[in-house]
Structures are given as structure tokens and as C-alpha cells.
Amino acid sequence: MAYTLTNGILTVEIADTGAYNGTRFDWTGFITQVTLEQGKHTFCVPESLVPGQGTGGFGLCNEFGISRAIGYDDAEVGEWFPKPGVGLLQKQEDAPYFFAGSYPLIPFEVIEEHTTDSVTYSVQPMECRGYSMLLTKRISLDEERLNISYTLENRGSKELLTEEYNHNFVGINGKNVGSGYELRLPDNVRVEQAESIYTEELLSRTGDKLSWKNEPDRPFYCKLGGWEDAGDSFYWEITHQPSRVGIREYGSFQPEQIALWGEKHVISPEVFADISILPRHSKDWSRSYQFFTI
């Protein structure tokens, strides 16, 4: 069922489990809007504004295995492989895994528990060729922070090797990307592996801040450097200067990498957590989002 969490400072809207029913994003805790009640500032936007385009992402939604799908490479065509938070997917052809592809699906069972300011999802294990896992995900509010904690328990006989990230489809107060936005990292920001000269020329870097020279007219993508020595500091911060409001992401883990994707209406910093879990072991990690005025 859908939930609205509130503590008087933040109001968080979470979609029904299965309202998003694709094979890319985790079905649980699909956060479609966050409102900072002081000023009624909003932060979440859809992946695409064009109906039928994109992969169905919206707001703060996470994905496992965008480049390391568990059990895909050792599966034969027609066999199944697990996608955490989603279900068992069927390999359709002898080709590399494609995160935006559509695969036949057997969804995992999800058990939910909730209070006024928290919700917990338990994604039940389903054995698949030696892979089996229990995913527990808790979303809670603490003053101006939205916290998401994860536990992935390996109940199978094979090691789990994958990654997890939150896509963070951010558009503050619905304002288009442009010179009003700034993205800040803990250290001097670097643009690495830009997908095109367009991205290189769109972005301006000064010390720990990255900004946009103009409003994009096509998607942009790159990897970011400047987070490596963050320590206990935040991973990234986005502010919209005309609105005098912003959002920061913190976490409990050293990122594997940070990427940046976006287009005219959306900025998506993506912080990747590396996941390697032996049988009968588990991994805990967490993300925390702070919403603030400036």
C-alpha cells in the first residue's frame, strides 16, 4: 500500500509496492515526493516528462545490479536470475545484461510494517540456481532527515556480487536545470569520463562546486571525482539558489563511484555501494538525505 510519512518538518510520499512494476528499479520504498514543510519546497521529479519514455523512474528510487546483475552471466538462455527488490528475471538471449531491458518476471513477496514516520519492507527470499537473499529496507524520518537503511542477507550457496545506488531524480520546486543550480562535493570537483563533449561544455567547475552554463536541451552524463576524501562528510549537495533551498546525501559506506545524469528538468547524482556477500553472511548500509533552507 502507499504511505505518507510526516513529522511536521518533512512529508514523504511513497508509492504502493508494485505501482512501479518494471524490471529495473527496486519496487519497495519508491519515494515519489519529499516536501520540506517550511516553504512547501519539493524535490522529486519523474525520470522523463514525456509519457512512454524512460524506464519509469521517479524521485528517490534505487536499483541493484545495473552493471553486475546477480547470476546473469552464468545463466543459460531461458533460465532465471534474481534482481534484489524486484524478483526473478528470465534471460532471453545470449547477450550482455541490459538494465533498461524488459524481462519476464516472477515478483518477490514483500512484507510491510509501518508507523506514522517509518516503513519497513522485507523482501522474501526465493531460491534460484543457488542464489537466495532476504532484503530488508527501512525508511524513516528524523527531523529534517530522510533515512534509508538496508540489510541484504545471503541465504543461498553462491556469493552475491553486485552494486546498489539511488537514482535521485531531483528537481527542486520543479525548476528546470540551469544557472540557478549548484552541485557541491566535499573536495574539488572533477568531471571524469564525460559521455560527450556536450556534457564537458555544459558544466562549469569552480573549486568544490559544479554549475550549469545554460539549460540543457539533451541528456548529460559523466563520472564525478572530488568525493574520495569525504570521510564522515556528505557525498553531494544540490542547491537551487533562487529558491534558497537544498538537499544533501550522506551514507555509511565508502562509495565505489559517483556518477551524474540529467536533462532539462532533472539532476541525478548517483552514489554506488559495492556489494560482496558470502553465503550465510549479510551486509548493512544506509543513506541519509538532509533537506534544508539557505
Side-chain angles (χ1 to χ4, degrees):
M1 60 181 294
Y3 298 105
T4 298
L5 308 183
T6 183
N7 62 359
I9 300 173
L10 298 177
T11 298
V12 177
E13 300 171 29
I14 306 174
D16 285 334
T17 299
Y20 166 83
N21 59 6
T23 55
R24 180 181 183 184
F25 297 109
D26 184 345
W27 288 21
T28 66
F30 206 85
I31 297 170
T32 57
Q33 192 54 270
V34 178
T35 302
L36 181 61
E37 291 298 333
Q38 181 183 356
K40 295 294 183 182
H41 299 289
T42 59
F43 297 86
C44 296
V45 294
E47 173 187 354
S48 175
L49 297 178
V50 180
Q53 291 191 8
T55 59
F58 204 122
L60 309 183
C61 56
N62 70 307
E63 177 182 9
F64 288 86
I66 187 172
S67 63
R68 284 174 284 169
I70 297 170
Y72 182 87
D73 289 343
D74 60 355
E76 300 292 335
V77 173
E79 289 187 323
W80 299 82
F81 62 98
K83 178 95 166 179
V86 180
L88 302 185
L89 280 59
Q90 189 178 45
K91 188 171 183 175
Q92 294 293 286
E93 57 183 340
D94 189 14
Y97 173 74
F98 180 43
F99 66 91
S102 180
Y103 295 86
L105 169 67
I106 303 173
F108 290 135
E109 177 188 359
V110 179
I111 299 173
E112 304 177 12
E113 299 179 2
H114 71 95
T115 66
T116 56
D117 61 359
S118 72
V119 58
T120 302
Y121 302 89
S122 297
V123 184
Q124 300 302 294
M126 188 183 298
E127 203 284 331
C128 177
R129 300 174 28 250
Y131 298 104
S132 180
M133 67 208 74
L134 172 67
L135 172 64
T136 304
K137 180 177 179 181
R138 183 174 187 268
I139 299 173
S140 61
L141 303 183
D142 182 11
E143 297 186 340
E144 77 282 4
R145 290 202 184 203
L146 164 64
N147 300 315
I148 308 175
S149 62
Y150 310 79
T151 298
L152 188 61
E153 180 184 347
N154 187 348
R155 293 193 173 182
S157 59
K158 295 181 179 180
E159 185 175 8
L160 301 178
L161 297 171
T162 189
E163 73 274 287
E164 182 270 346
Y165 74 103
N166 233 354
H167 210 304
N168 302 323
F169 295 104
V170 174
I172 295 176
N173 291 330
K175 302 299 184 182
N176 281 349
V177 179
S179 59
Y181 281 94
E182 287 185 349
L183 185 149
R184 186 163 71 97
L185 297 182
D187 202 351
N188 288 340
V189 63
R190 303 187 305 276
V191 172
E192 302 171 342
Q193 301 179 41
E195 53 81 27
S196 69
I197 191 66
Y198 176 81
T199 296
E200 284 276 11
E201 294 179 346
L202 176 69
L203 302 174
S204 176
R205 302 173 298 284
T206 304
D208 63 350
K209 292 184 176 64
L210 181 150
S211 58
W212 285 258
K213 296 176 183 177
N214 46 57
E215 187 176 287
D217 58 10
R218 51 167 282 190
F220 55 89
Y221 179 83
C222 63
K223 303 289 180 64
L224 293 178
W227 49 266
E228 294 83 355
D229 297 323
D232 293 331
S233 185
F234 59 89
Y235 295 145
W236 56 265
E237 170 189 289
I238 290 176
T239 56
H240 185 248
Q241 295 298 316
S243 299
R244 306 296 294 168
V245 69
I247 172 176
R248 299 184 188 101
E249 181 183 356
Y250 302 79
S252 65
F253 57 93
Q254 178 68 13
E256 180 181 29
Q257 66 176 358
I258 296 183
L260 176 67
W261 176 88
E263 53 178 300
K264 181 177 181 179
H265 72 288
V266 59
I267 301 170
S268 292
E270 305 165 353
V271 183
F272 286 77
D274 180 59
I275 296 174
S276 175
I277 311 174
L278 294 171
R280 299 180 300 281
H281 289 70
S282 63
K283 181 180 178 68
D284 302 313
W285 71 103
S286 63
R287 302 174 184 274
S288 180
Y289 296 87
Q290 182 182 19
F291 302 87
F292 59 93
T293 56
I294 52 178

